[in-house]
Amino acid sequence: MGPPGRAAFMTAAQAPSSPDPHRAAFHASSRPLALLGPDGRFSDANSAFCTLARRDVAALVGTVPDWIAPWRDGAAVLSGPDGNRVEVSLALAPLPDGGILIDLDPWPEARQRAAERAHREMRAIIENTYEFIGLLSPEGHILDANRTAMSFIKSHDFDSLRGHLFADTPWWTHSSEERALLVDAVRRARQGEFVRFETTHRGGDGHLAYIDFSLKPVTDDDGAVIYLVPEGRDITQRKQAESDLLAAKLEAESANRAKSNFLATVSHELRTPLNAVIGFSEALLSDALGPLEPERTRDYLRLIHAAGQHLGALIEDILDVSRVELGHLDLAEDVVAPDEMVASVRRLLESHATDGSIRLKIDLPSSLPRLRADSRRLRQVLLNLVTNAIKFTPAGGTVTIRFNAGPDGVAFHVEDTGIGIPLEHHGKVWQPFFQSDALHARPHDGAGLGLAIVKCFVEALGGQVSLDSAPGQGTCVSVLLPPERVIAAE
């Protein structure tokens, strides 16, 4: 039967105009309650009753409860409008006006099925989210983990982890620092604090993932922490995007600095020969020094010619870089004899090496195959490498040109005993306008285009270029041309 005091409820027809606390409690109750008038028809029902009966109150009022059977205290069955049947415990309490208070209670089996259904629905959500979700005791022992978390460590055996300290599980054992963060987070969460930080997890396949991790305390009605809920979101892609963005920003800044250095350097490189051209031509034209003897005039003209050649070479270097960047570099197909190319470069640079007290050494095998390549571009590659080696080799040093042929093609190497290049600059020396001594007072002339042109030309010929260098140990630049560039001996 219904609980004491139910007879105090009044039907809707008897309700006074002033607020009725009993009726307010009736509608607020979590128990399914309804009122029948003396005529046996519904006069009111609370929301819990409507939910269980699968009918709204407007559809109930004025109807008879013929869908509840049998009509007596005890077990009964509700027939829903959709054909579903629900087993309930039915209690009927008579009211003073002849009406009846109906009190329903789902049977334990029904409640169990509803609970199981709710559990399945919740489990479906938890297991199929992309986040790592688990459940810990307040002391940090693992009680549950969803499928996403277990898949990350390539395991389906949660029972082997149940009850272990979360900090001792595969998600955390890869790093003592990250494990210490978790231990501190558990301590703080156990005291009721929501904790969130970025960390890393090592996956079952060995990859390292960046995780946005949080630990949320769950409390009972008295405010005591009874569970901790760990959640992890894989943010590896976001971190990679941030890293790529930062790298692009740094690269853009580096490029801007390189171009600024280039403009300053080119300004100097252009101004020096231009000053010579202007100065010597003015001397010839102004007669400021009086009539010049023919030999002195020829000296001035030679200096003007040399300055003009230097300007032309510098402008050609700049144009070559522009052609490569625009994809407009055209290569000729000539027959190149390596020994003749080396002899030509030696004739051009030997006096320059001698002026700097540098020995220029040639090391060639007795016979070398001829090559099919752009002779002018390949000669410029060797010329740039040897010029660069002489430039950065102090007096008393040696620059060596070596050639060798093998199954991988023909290789030539330019070695020096110069100042060397720091490891952090090995990748940068091939960039246009870069100069490893740009941060210091520059004792060496040049626009920083020589090695960039070397790399562009060698790769355009299908070859490879590499660098071996260390400060104080000299430098060796190697160029390898592929076998298809080698002309077989007849």
Coordinates of all heavy atoms in Angstrom, one line a residue, residues 7-24 26-27 35 38 43-44 95 97:
A7 N -3.5 10.1 1.9 CA -4.9 10.5 1.9 C -5.0 12.1 2.0 O -6.1 12.6 1.7 CB -5.6 9.9 3.1
A8 N -3.9 12.7 2.3 CA -4.0 14.1 2.4 C -4.0 14.8 1.1 O -4.2 16.0 1.0 CB -2.7 14.6 3.2
F9 N -3.7 14.0 0.0 CA -3.7 14.7 -1.4 C -5.1 15.0 -1.8 O -6.0 14.2 -1.5 CB -3.0 13.7 -2.4 CG -1.5 13.7 -2.3 CD1 -0.9 12.6 -1.8 CD2 -0.8 14.8 -2.6 CE1 0.4 12.5 -1.7 CE2 0.6 14.7 -2.5 CZ 1.2 13.6 -2.0
M10 N -5.3 16.0 -2.5 CA -6.6 16.4 -3.0 C -6.6 16.3 -4.5 O -5.6 16.4 -5.1 CB -6.9 17.8 -2.6 CG -7.1 18.0 -1.1 SD -7.5 19.7 -0.7 CE -5.9 20.5 -1.0
T11 N -7.8 16.0 -5.1 CA -7.9 15.9 -6.5 C -7.8 17.3 -7.1 O -7.9 18.3 -6.4 CB -9.3 15.3 -6.9 OG1 -10.3 16.2 -6.4 CG2 -9.4 13.9 -6.3
A12 N -7.7 17.4 -8.4 CA -7.6 18.7 -9.1 C -8.8 19.5 -8.8 O -8.7 20.7 -8.7 CB -7.3 18.5 -10.6
A13 N -10.0 18.8 -8.8 CA -11.2 19.6 -8.6 C -11.3 20.2 -7.2 O -12.0 21.2 -7.0 CB -12.4 18.7 -8.8
Q14 N -10.7 19.6 -6.2 CA -10.7 20.1 -4.8 C -9.6 21.1 -4.5 O -9.6 21.7 -3.4 CB -10.6 18.9 -3.8 CG -11.8 18.0 -3.9 CD -11.5 16.8 -3.0 OE1 -10.5 16.2 -3.1 NE2 -12.5 16.4 -2.2
A15 N -8.6 21.3 -5.4 CA -7.5 22.1 -5.1 C -7.9 23.5 -4.9 O -8.6 24.1 -5.7 CB -6.5 22.0 -6.2
P16 N -7.5 24.1 -3.8 CA -7.8 25.6 -3.6 C -7.0 26.4 -4.5 O -6.0 26.0 -5.1 CB -7.4 25.8 -2.1 CG -6.4 24.8 -1.8 CD -6.7 23.6 -2.7
S17 N -7.3 27.7 -4.5 CA -6.6 28.6 -5.4 C -5.2 28.9 -4.9 O -4.3 29.2 -5.7 CB -7.4 29.9 -5.6 OG -7.6 30.5 -4.4
S18 N -5.0 28.8 -3.5 CA -3.7 29.1 -3.0 C -2.8 27.9 -3.2 O -3.2 26.8 -3.4 CB -3.8 29.4 -1.5 OG -4.4 28.2 -0.8
P19 N -1.4 28.1 -3.3 CA -0.5 27.0 -3.5 C -0.7 25.9 -2.5 O -0.8 26.1 -1.3 CB 0.9 27.7 -3.4 CG 0.6 29.2 -3.6 CD -0.8 29.4 -3.1
D20 N -0.6 24.7 -3.0 CA -0.8 23.5 -2.2 C 0.5 22.8 -2.1 O 1.1 22.2 -3.0 CB -1.8 22.5 -2.8 CG -2.1 21.3 -2.0 OD1 -1.4 21.1 -1.0 OD2 -3.0 20.5 -2.3
P21 N 1.2 22.8 -0.9 CA 2.5 22.1 -0.7 C 2.5 20.6 -1.0 O 3.4 20.0 -1.5 CB 2.9 22.4 0.7 CG 1.6 22.7 1.4 CD 0.7 23.4 0.4
H22 N 1.3 20.0 -0.7 CA 1.2 18.6 -0.9 C 1.2 18.3 -2.4 O 1.9 17.3 -2.9 CB -0.1 18.0 -0.3 CG -0.2 18.2 1.2 ND1 0.7 17.5 2.0 CD2 -1.0 18.9 2.0 CE1 0.5 17.8 3.3 NE2 -0.6 18.7 3.3
R23 N 0.5 19.1 -3.2 CA 0.5 18.9 -4.7 C 1.9 19.2 -5.2 O 2.3 18.5 -6.2 CB -0.6 19.7 -5.3 CG -0.7 19.4 -6.8 CD -2.0 20.0 -7.4 NE -3.1 19.3 -6.8 CZ -3.6 18.2 -7.2 NH1 -3.0 17.5 -8.2 NH2 -4.7 17.6 -6.6
A24 N 2.6 20.2 -4.7 CA 3.9 20.5 -5.2 C 4.9 19.3 -4.9 O 5.7 18.9 -5.8 CB 4.5 21.7 -4.5
F26 N 3.8 16.2 -4.7 CA 3.3 15.2 -5.6 C 4.0 15.3 -6.9 O 4.5 14.3 -7.5 CB 1.8 15.3 -5.7 CG 1.2 14.5 -6.8 CD1 0.8 13.2 -6.6 CD2 0.9 15.1 -8.0 CE1 0.2 12.4 -7.6 CE2 0.3 14.4 -9.0 CZ 0.0 13.0 -8.8
H27 N 4.1 16.5 -7.5 CA 4.7 16.6 -8.8 C 6.2 16.6 -8.8 O 6.8 16.2 -9.8 CB 4.2 18.0 -9.4 CG 2.9 17.9 -10.0 ND1 2.5 17.3 -11.1 CD2 1.7 18.4 -9.5 CE1 1.2 17.4 -11.4 NE2 0.7 18.1 -10.4
L35 N -3.4 10.3 -9.8 CA -4.7 10.4 -9.1 C -5.8 10.0 -10.0 O -5.9 10.4 -11.1 CB -4.9 11.9 -8.6 CG -3.8 12.4 -7.6 CD1 -4.1 13.9 -7.4 CD2 -3.9 11.6 -6.3
P38 N -13.3 10.1 -8.3 CA -14.4 9.2 -7.9 C -15.0 8.4 -9.0 O -15.5 7.3 -8.8 CB -15.4 10.1 -7.2 CG -14.6 11.3 -6.7 CD -13.6 11.5 -7.8
S43 N -7.2 12.1 -13.0 CA -7.4 13.6 -12.8 C -6.0 14.3 -12.8 O -6.0 15.5 -13.0 CB -8.1 13.9 -11.5 OG -7.4 13.4 -10.4
D44 N -4.9 13.6 -12.5 CA -3.6 14.2 -12.5 C -2.5 13.1 -12.5 O -2.9 11.9 -12.1 CB -3.4 15.1 -11.3 CG -2.3 16.1 -11.5 OD1 -1.7 16.1 -12.6 OD2 -2.1 17.0 -10.6
L95 N -8.6 7.8 -1.3 CA -8.6 9.2 -0.8 C -10.0 9.5 -0.2 O -11.0 8.9 -0.6 CB -8.3 10.1 -2.0 CG -6.9 9.9 -2.7 CD1 -6.8 10.8 -3.9 CD2 -5.8 10.2 -1.7
D97 N -12.2 11.7 -0.8 CA -13.3 12.1 -1.8 C -13.7 10.9 -2.6 O -14.6 11.1 -3.5 CB -12.8 13.2 -2.7 CG -11.7 12.8 -3.6 OD1 -11.1 11.7 -3.4 OD2 -11.5 13.5 -4.6

